[in-house]
Amino acid sequence: SLLLESGVQILNPEQVYIEPTVTFGKNVIVEPFVKLSGNVHIPDDFCVPSFSRWSEQSDVQWRG
């Protein structure tokens, strides 16, 4: 998968849905049972938790 080759770690690819419009920063982990669609950007060093449903015009911000 192109995502895996670019450094996105998908813990269980068979249980994840990601549309091609979703973009990723570096060092991203996607947990199982996630659906990402539309114009979503996942920032660097972020873990998308299980059962997340993010869609159109979402812009995830990490404030750690």
Side-chain angles (χ1 to χ4, degrees):
S1 152
L2 188 58
L3 287 178
L4 298 175
E5 291 171 10
S6 67
V8 177
Q9 183 179 357
I10 301 175
L11 299 185
N12 196 340
E14 298 81 29
Q15 297 174 325
V16 170
Y17 174 79
I18 301 173
E19 289 185 352
T21 53
V22 177
T23 58
F24 293 88
K26 299 174 186 166
N27 196 31
V28 172
I29 298 171
V30 179
E31 293 184 347
F33 307 108
V34 165
K35 180 180 179 182
L36 303 174
S37 59
N39 297 317
V40 177
H41 175 73
I42 309 300
D44 292 350
D45 303 313
F46 194 86
C47 178
V48 181
S50 292
F51 303 101
S52 294
R53 299 287 183 265
W54 296 336
S55 61
E56 286 296 326
Q57 303 304 319
S58 297
D59 187 14
V60 179
Q61 299 292 325
W62 171 249
R63 301 182 197 285

